[in-house]
Amino acid sequence: DQQVKQNSPSLSVQEGRISILNCDYTNSMFDYFLWYKKYPAEGPTFLISISSIKDKNEDGRFTVFLNKSAKHLSLHIVPSQPGDSAVYFCAASINAGKSTFGDGTTLTVKP
Amino acid sequence: DGGITQSPKYLFRKEGQNVTLSCEQNLNHDAMYWYRQDPGQGLRLIYYSQIVNDFQKGDIAEGYSVSREKKESFPLTVTSAQKNPTAFYLCASSARGVLAKNIQYFGAGTRLSVL
């Protein structure tokens, strides 16, 4: 039973437009959500996070939205840049414990 | 220059052989993790350790073993019992406590292949 799901394996957007990456979860006990970015042959790097007590967190071009009733979160990148092309992983944890990761979404930003 | 170092970058295993992947961190983090990534899939947790001399099985621990004798080091052994070891292995660490939010810092990975 996969508790964190990223249903879109890939997403392609034009440079300058908005990228929206989605993530769904099933465990209502998750209280902290994180997004990581991964380039090929490298380890993931932390991008942005959100606590379950909030519904939005913004950091520069990146904004994460959380809809607890729908058990859904999304990452918005505005404007998208070619350097944003990477695999994005959604992760969730309970009480700062170990994280459960989704399968990732490959974002391609076309110049 | 703080971070996590994984070695080797590439590793080849012969049938019936045990191999050990190295993971060292100088971030003074208490918690360390090992993940496996297969093509098109996410990160699956193999083992994790919250403190020295203690570790727990993750979701796919069979065929793997770990030790945590030092805070900085968390080596992973892929034993001959792991029948499908070909994958990309990632090590991570994080500070403990709620304020740390379990933000994990990853190494560059080791790609293991079977000869």
Side-chain angles (χ1 to χ4, degrees):
Chain A
D1 177 32
Q2 196 168 10
Q3 298 188 63
V4 178
K5 295 181 182 180
Q6 295 177 253
N7 291 317
S8 298
S10 62
L11 174 69
S12 181
V13 299
Q14 207 67 35
E15 181 179 5
R17 305 295 291 267
I18 184 172
S19 296
I20 300 176
L21 295 93
N22 295 303
C23 179
D24 297 296
Y25 61 95
T26 58
N27 190 341
S28 57
M29 296 297 291
F30 286 138
D31 60 3
Y32 203 74
F33 303 89
L34 310 96
W35 284 94
Y36 290 85
K37 176 180 179 179
K38 183 183 181 301
Y39 293 116
E42 294 183 10
T45 56
F46 169 72
L47 189 59
I48 192 170
S49 62
I50 188 167
S51 165
S52 60
I53 63 172
K54 297 186 176 181
D55 54 19
K56 176 183 175 182
N57 187 29
E58 189 173 354
D59 183 2
R61 296 186 297 113
F62 303 91
T63 303
V64 56
F65 295 92
L66 176 63
N67 182 334
K68 282 199 302 181
S69 61
K71 293 190 179 70
H72 176 83
L73 64 156
S74 60
L75 174 68
H76 293 212
I77 306 174
V78 183
S80 301
Q81 300 173 354
D84 295 329
S85 297
V87 179
Y88 289 79
F89 289 101
C90 169
S93 66
I94 301 170
N95 198 25
K98 63 184 178 73
S99 291
T100 301
F101 286 80
D103 285 346
T105 296
T106 301
L107 173 66
T108 302
V109 180
K110 297 179 180 179
Chain B
D1 192 17
I4 298 186
T5 302
Q6 288 187 242
S7 62
K9 193 172 180 67
Y10 299 97
L11 187 58
F12 297 92
R13 193 191 90 165
K14 295 180 181 178
E15 291 290 337
Q17 185 181 40
N18 292 354
V19 292
T20 297
L21 285 61
S22 170
C23 179
E24 304 277 333
Q25 56 101 357
N26 60 6
L27 299 168
N28 199 34
H29 285 165
D30 285 305
M32 296 187 75
Y33 310 82
W34 273 106
Y35 294 92
R36 169 180 173 144
Q37 186 186 21
D38 292 282
Q41 296 190 28
L43 308 181
R44 292 186 291 169
L45 184 64
I46 304 172
Y47 268 98
Y48 65 105
S49 168
Q50 302 276 42
I51 199 166
V52 175
N53 291 323
D54 187 46
F55 50 83
Q56 285 80 41
K57 293 182 179 180
D59 301 318
I60 55 165
E62 186 175 349
Y64 300 97
S65 66
V66 294
S67 63
R68 186 86 188 276
E69 297 176 1
K70 297 186 300 182
K71 188 175 185 177
E72 317 80 71
S73 179
F74 192 40
L76 173 74
T77 297
V78 184
T79 74
S80 58
Q82 174 47 247
K83 298 306 179 187
N84 184 23
T86 298
F88 189 54
Y89 290 86
L90 286 160
C91 178
S93 72
S94 68
R96 284 183 70 192
V98 176
L99 291 178
K101 307 296 186 187
N102 196 28
I103 294 172
Q104 296 184 23
Y105 298 82
F106 287 83
T110 293
R111 187 164 297 281
L112 176 61
S113 302
V114 176
L115 290 176

